[in-house]
C-alpha cells in the first residue's frame, strides 16, 4: 500500500510503498477513503507535538473509510461498516489498522470527506465551549483564527449555543467565510486593533484562541471580569506567557483543551460530544467547510496550505474508491 511516511524529523515525509497491515486484537482494518489534515501534523513532522509517535510512522490523525477486517475480540463493527476514526497517526495511507475504541459509525447521510474533516475540529470546539468554558446564551464569544480548521467550527457551534460571536481572521475573504458560518461581528487581524474592537462591543466573556502570540495578548486585554480564555493551539508559533497577577485583577480563568487527551482519562466525554455533533449534522445544523480536496500524492501541498495559512476550514486528502 502507499503511505505518506516519516522516517526522520530532519527529512520531509515521502510517499512510500509499505506492507499491507493486518489488525491485531481489538483493532479494525480500514480501507481509507479520506484523511483530514491538521496543524498537529506539521508539529509531528518536527517532533514537537505532545503526542508525536515514535519514528518511523505514517502521518494523518483522522480518517474515514470502510471496515475491511476485524481483529480478535472486536465487537460492535462488521466488515463493510462506514467509520470515522481518530487514530492519531496512520491516516495518509491507502489502508490502516486502528484500535476499534477510536472508531465510530458514520451517519448514513455523511460523506467520507465530511467525516474526515469532522471529529477533531468539531469535537475540539464543542468540548471546549460546552464542557470547559460553559458558554451561555447571550455571552460574547471571541474566536481567534476564526476561518481555520477549528476556529470556523467554534464560530458555528458558538452560534448554535446562543452566543454573540465575534470572529477574528486575516483579510476580507476569510472574514466572509466566518460571517457565513454565523459570526455576528468581524475583526480583521491584519489591520484592526483587536483589543479596541472587542472592547467597543462590551468585551469578551469567552475567548477561543487557536493562534497565540500577539492576538492572545490583545484578546486577554479585552476580557470582561470573570471571562474564560480557552487555549486551543498556537498557529502563530508564539506560545504566550501569562502573568498570574493579571489573572487576579479581573478574576480571569485560562484553560487548556487538548481534545485527544480525553481518550486517556474521560473517553465518555468524547463519545457523548460526538453523538451530539453527529445528530446536529444529521439534522443539517452543522456542515464542515472543506476548502481543499487533494489526492494522496499531493499531501505535501495540503500540509503547505496549513503551514502558510492559505486554507480555510479543513484540507482533506481523498483516496480512490
Amino acid at each position: 500500500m502507499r503511505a505518506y511516511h516519516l522516517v526522520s524529523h530532519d527529512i520531509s515525509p515521502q510517499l512510500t510503498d509499505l506492507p499491507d497491515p493486518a489488525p491485531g486484537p481489538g483493532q479494525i482494518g480500514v480501507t481509507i477513503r479520506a484523511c483530514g489534515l491538521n496543524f498537529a501534523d506539521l508539529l509531528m513532522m518536527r517532533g514537537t507535538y505532545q503526542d508525536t509517535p515514535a519514528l518511523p510512522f505514517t502521518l494523518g490523525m483522522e480518517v474515514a473509510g470502510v471496515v475491511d477486517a476485524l481483529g480478535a475480540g472486536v465487537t460492535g463493527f462488521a466488515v463493510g461498516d462506514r467509520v470515522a476514526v481518530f487514530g492519531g497517526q496512520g491516516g495518509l495511507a491507502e489502508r490502516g489498522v486502528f484500535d476499534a475504541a477510536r472508531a465510530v459509525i458514520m451517519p448514513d447521510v455523511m460523506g467520507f470527506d465530511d467525516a474526515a474533516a469532522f471529529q477533531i475540529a468539531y469535537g475540539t470546539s464543542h468540548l471546549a465551549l460546552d464542557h470547559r468554558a460553559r458558554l451561555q446564551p447571550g455571552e460574547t464569544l471571541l474566536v481567534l483564527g476564526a476561518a481555520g480548521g477549528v476556529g470556523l467550527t467554534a464560530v458555528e457551534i458558538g452560534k448554535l449555543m446562543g452566543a454573540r460571536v465575534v470572529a477574528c481572521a486575516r483579510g476580507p475573504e476569510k472574514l466572509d467565510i466566518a460571517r457565513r458560518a454565523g459570526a455576528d461581528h468581524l475583526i480583521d487581524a491584519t489591520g484592526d486593533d483587536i483589543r479596541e474592537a472587542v472592547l467597543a462591543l462590551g468585551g469578551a466573556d469567552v475567548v477561543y484562541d487557536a493562534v497565540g502570540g500577539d492576538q492572545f495578548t490583545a484578546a486577554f486585554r479585552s476580557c470582561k471580569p470573570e471571562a474564560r480564555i480557552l487555549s486551543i493551539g498556537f498557529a502563530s508559533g508564539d506560545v504566550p506567557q501569562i502573568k498570574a497577577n493579571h489573572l487576579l485583577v479581573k478574576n480571569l480563568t485560562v484553560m487548556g483543551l487538548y481534545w485527544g487527551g480525553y481518550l486517556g482519562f474521560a473517553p465518555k466525554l468524547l463519545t457523548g460530544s460526538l453523538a451530539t455533533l453527529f445528530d446536529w449534522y444529521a439534522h443539517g445544523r452543522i456542515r464542515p467547510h472543506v476548502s481543499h480536496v487533494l489526492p494522496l500524492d499531493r499531501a505535501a501541498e495540503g500540509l503547505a496550505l496549513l503551514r502558510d495559512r492559505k486554507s480555510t476550514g479543513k484540507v482533506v486528502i481523498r483516496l480512490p474508491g
Side-chain angles (χ1 to χ4, degrees):
M1 68 171 193
R2 295 187 307 157
Y4 198 59
H5 207 56
L6 185 73
V7 298
S8 169
H9 297 302
D10 298 320
I11 302 173
S12 297
Q14 300 293 323
L15 195 57
T16 307
D17 286 321
L18 296 178
D20 203 24
Q27 294 183 322
I28 57 174
V30 178
T31 299
I32 296 171
R33 297 289 181 79
C35 177
L37 299 186
N38 292 275
F39 190 78
D41 291 309
L42 298 173
L43 300 180
M44 285 186 186
M45 288 166 57
R46 299 197 296 263
T48 58
Y49 189 58
Q50 60 262 29
D51 270 350
T52 299
L55 293 167
F57 67 93
T58 296
L59 290 164
M61 299 178 69
E62 58 181 335
V63 303
V66 179
V67 176
D68 60 26
L70 302 176
V74 172
T75 60
F77 295 96
V79 171
D81 283 345
R82 301 164 70 250
V83 293
V85 186
F86 171 66
Q89 61 171 303
L92 285 172
E94 293 174 327
R95 190 168 176 276
V97 295
F98 306 99
D99 290 344
R102 289 174 170 254
V104 293
I105 302 293
M106 293 164 47
D108 291 340
V109 296
M110 181 178 278
F112 290 117
D113 289 352
D114 277 0
F118 195 84
Q119 289 189 90
I120 294 175
Y122 279 104
T124 294
S125 292
H126 184 254
L127 208 62
L129 295 174
D130 183 61
H131 173 68
R132 293 290 277 150
R134 309 289 183 186
L135 180 67
Q136 300 298 307
E139 288 190 315
T140 297
L141 168 66
L142 170 62
V143 181
L144 304 179
V150 292
L152 199 59
T153 64
V155 172
E156 207 172 349
I157 290 172
K159 281 301 293 182
L160 284 173
M161 293 178 68
R164 180 177 66 153
V165 178
V166 182
C168 180
R170 301 176 66 84
E173 181 181 349
K174 291 187 174 183
L175 286 172
D176 186 60
I177 291 168
R179 178 190 59 77
R180 285 186 270 126
D184 300 290
H185 302 278
L186 307 173
I187 298 174
D188 190 338
T190 62
D192 293 340
D193 185 317
I194 296 172
R195 174 178 177 268
E196 291 300 324
V198 177
L199 289 176
L201 296 170
D205 296 292
V206 174
V207 175
Y208 183 102
D209 175 30
V211 177
D214 292 341
Q215 290 192 37
F216 174 92
T217 302
F220 188 96
R221 296 175 64 205
S222 74
C223 284
K224 296 179 182 179
E226 293 195 327
R228 292 90 73 201
I229 303 171
L230 291 156
S231 184
I232 305 298
F234 315 105
S236 68
D238 183 356
V239 179
Q241 304 301 305
I242 303 165
K243 294 183 178 180
N245 61 317
H246 292 181
L247 297 176
L248 182 150
V249 171
K250 282 191 176 180
N251 295 291
L252 301 180
T253 300
V254 179
M255 55 190 77
L257 191 287
Y258 167 44
W259 183 78
Y262 281 87
L263 282 169
F265 67 91
K268 289 185 178 179
L269 279 173
L270 287 191
T271 55
S273 172
L274 284 173
T276 296
L277 291 165
F278 279 142
D279 180 70
W280 286 355
Y281 180 95
H283 287 86
R285 302 184 71 193
I286 55 176
R287 193 69 62 199
H289 176 83
V290 177
S291 63
H292 297 80
V293 178
L294 302 170
L296 182 60
D297 59 8
R298 293 173 64 187
E301 181 182 335
L303 290 165
L305 288 168
L306 296 185
R307 183 192 64 225
D308 300 335
R309 301 195 210 180
K310 292 182 177 179
S311 62
T312 56
K314 293 286 284 192
V315 176
V316 169
I317 302 300
R318 182 186 293 163
L319 290 100

